[in-house]
Amino acid sequence: MTAAALVWVVTHGVAQPGNALAFGLFIAVGELARWGAVPRPGESPLLTGAGGREPAPLGAAGALAYALLGDSAGEPTGHGAFQVVAVVVAGALVGAVPQVARGRGPALDHVARRVLTVGFAAVCFQPLYGSGELELQLGHGPGYALFLLVLLVLTALCDAVLAAVLLRAHTGHPFGPLLRDELRALLGIGSAVCATGAVMALAVAVAGLWALPVFCVPLLLTQLSLRRYVAVRATYGQTIASLARATEVAGYTRPGHAHRVAALSTAVGREMGLSGPELTLLEHAALMHDIGQLSLVDPVPEGATSSLPAAEQRRIALLGGAVVRQTGVPAAVAAVVEQQADPYREQPLAARIVRAVNAYDDLAGGSGAGAGGALTALEQLRLGTGRDYQPEVVESLARVLARVLA
């Protein structure tokens, strides 16, 4: 698409070069202002180095505004869909140069997704505007605004589908839950980007290019607020991870046990279709599931609580829940920690997942487990599905391990 757009622009020339330059610079500035990565629901920057949903919302809004640009200061434009794609790619590449020099450039998947999404909006809008059919059929009244609204919804859906497809290709997780998370995210920064892009296009149509710096202020303020939120969330995650390491530092559990259980539990949760907030709760509970061992006088050998009698497991779980409640972590996390030793039919799904994954890591011997150790541990979990482990959780764990060990 980019190659075709560049060839078209070279062949036909740049229409309204002033508009193209202004929007290209706007997109480049938006890329320069990118803040890094916003974690997806259920992904911890500490554990996964999560990719961002929309790390450059200002650039995305500017690209969408150019795709939906009809008039400019009352004068009709004629740049077309190919020029939109060429300008968006050029602006993104120019803005990415300093980021790449600092080792923080955008991922190619993100750039391709941006081009495809903006190209979709341009292909839907520009031919209708250029042919005059849009003005003939809808004019500039409520019908035109409704058309833009419908087009924005379709563009947002296109972007969500592309994001879910990319995640499905990278992680192998089920497409349905991934798409659901992406659609839920549209209510946040996605709606702000779409609304700002549409308002900027309408404002430039009336007031000209001077509207660009004015109407980007709300999105800049939103970006600053989100940056602060991400910083607070990262600090919160680091605090929980530090608490989780306390059992390892004290010699009660094997090194890396809590993080392995958290990573596997999150993957199993995604496999079973948990939503973003549910995955976050699951991850935090998995990180802190063994913290009750700090209350023991004598450590459990290798920290393998799954081999203890049921009553002792229950006592350690209750001690862990009591410790978690003293840390200021949400009560829901403490409840999962407390219930992880109950019979699975009495547990919430998060506790069932933590219990099964914890037992797997204990039985498999930790990070050094090969395919043979994993199969042996899974077989022992399957033998315990009558009372201790939910069969669906064990089978989801098996599918996740099949991808990891493949």
Side-chain angles (χ1 to χ4, degrees):
M1 180 183 289
T2 300
L6 293 175
V7 169
W8 190 92
V9 169
V10 170
T11 304
H12 294 81
V14 179
Q16 286 88 37
N19 290 343
L21 180 61
F23 276 95
L25 289 175
F26 190 91
I27 294 168
V29 170
E31 288 293 333
L32 284 172
R34 68 169 45 239
W35 65 65
V38 178
R40 292 185 172 83
E43 288 181 334
S44 164
L46 191 64
L47 294 179
T48 61
R53 282 195 184 279
E54 183 47 77
L58 192 60
L64 185 59
Y66 194 50
L68 301 178
L69 182 65
D71 295 349
S72 177
E75 297 293 329
T77 61
H79 47 271
F82 277 127
Q83 183 166 312
V84 169
V85 173
V87 169
V88 169
V89 172
L93 292 179
V94 170
V97 169
Q99 303 283 0
V100 172
R102 288 182 289 177
R104 298 189 303 156
L108 292 179
D109 283 350
H110 176 79
V111 176
R113 178 178 141 202
R114 169 82 60 81
V115 171
L116 289 172
T117 301
V118 173
F120 172 83
V123 167
C124 291
F125 179 84
Q126 291 297 332
L128 290 175
Y129 173 82
S131 65
E133 286 295 320
L134 194 59
E135 183 174 0
L136 181 64
Q137 298 296 330
L138 302 177
H140 294 282
Y144 182 78
L146 181 61
F147 170 77
L148 283 184
L149 178 61
V150 172
L151 182 53
L152 285 173
V153 171
L154 293 176
T155 302
L157 290 176
C158 172
D159 185 65
V161 170
L162 286 173
V165 167
L166 287 172
L167 274 174
R168 174 73 174 86
H170 284 304
T171 66
H173 295 312
F175 177 76
L178 293 175
L179 179 59
R180 184 181 61 192
D181 282 347
E182 294 297 332
L183 292 175
R184 186 180 290 109
L186 292 178
L187 300 177
I189 191 66
S191 61
V193 169
C194 289
T196 304
V199 169
M200 286 168 57
L202 294 173
V204 171
V206 176
L209 297 175
W210 290 107
L212 286 179
V214 174
F215 282 88
C216 75
V217 172
L219 195 58
L220 278 174
L221 294 177
T222 302
Q223 181 171 340
L224 290 175
S225 298
L226 277 175
R227 181 178 294 183
R228 291 182 179 180
Y229 167 76
V230 170
V232 170
R233 181 173 173 178
T235 302
Y236 180 70
Q238 290 168 1
T239 301
I240 291 179
S242 298
L243 289 170
R245 289 192 67 245
T247 56
E248 301 172 17
V249 174
Y252 282 82
T253 58
R254 290 190 302 268
H257 171 73
H259 284 258
R260 288 194 300 272
V261 172
L264 261 182
S265 294
T266 303
V268 172
R270 278 200 175 277
E271 184 74 20
M272 299 189 73
L274 295 186
S275 64
E278 292 169 330
L279 288 170
T280 301
L281 169 65
L282 172 62
E283 181 189 27
H284 291 170
L287 281 169
M288 305 187 76
H289 75 281
D290 266 335
I291 202 166
Q293 294 196 44
L294 293 176
S295 302
L296 300 178
V297 176
D298 297 317
V300 178
E302 296 186 343
T305 55
S306 60
S307 61
L308 296 176
E312 185 65 10
Q313 291 185 40
R314 175 67 174 158
R315 188 176 75 88
I316 294 174
L318 291 174
L319 290 171
V323 173
V324 172
R325 291 181 191 278
Q326 298 299 317
T327 63
V329 175
V333 176
V336 174
V337 173
E338 289 173 341
Q339 293 176 287
Q340 62 176 309
D342 295 347
Y344 80 79
R345 292 178 180 85
E346 302 173 12
Q347 293 174 316
L349 181 55
R352 298 176 186 182
I353 293 173
V354 172
R355 178 170 186 170
V357 175
N358 175 54
Y360 165 79
D361 194 72
D362 287 343
L363 294 169
S367 59
L375 291 175
T376 302
L378 281 173
E379 186 60 30
Q380 293 186 58
L381 291 184
R382 290 189 174 104
L383 293 175
T385 53
R387 179 186 183 277
D388 296 326
Y389 312 112
Q390 184 181 14
E392 292 81 3
V393 172
V394 176
E395 294 310 313
S396 296
L397 174 60
R399 289 194 294 272
V400 170
L401 291 171
R403 291 196 295 267
V404 172
L405 298 175

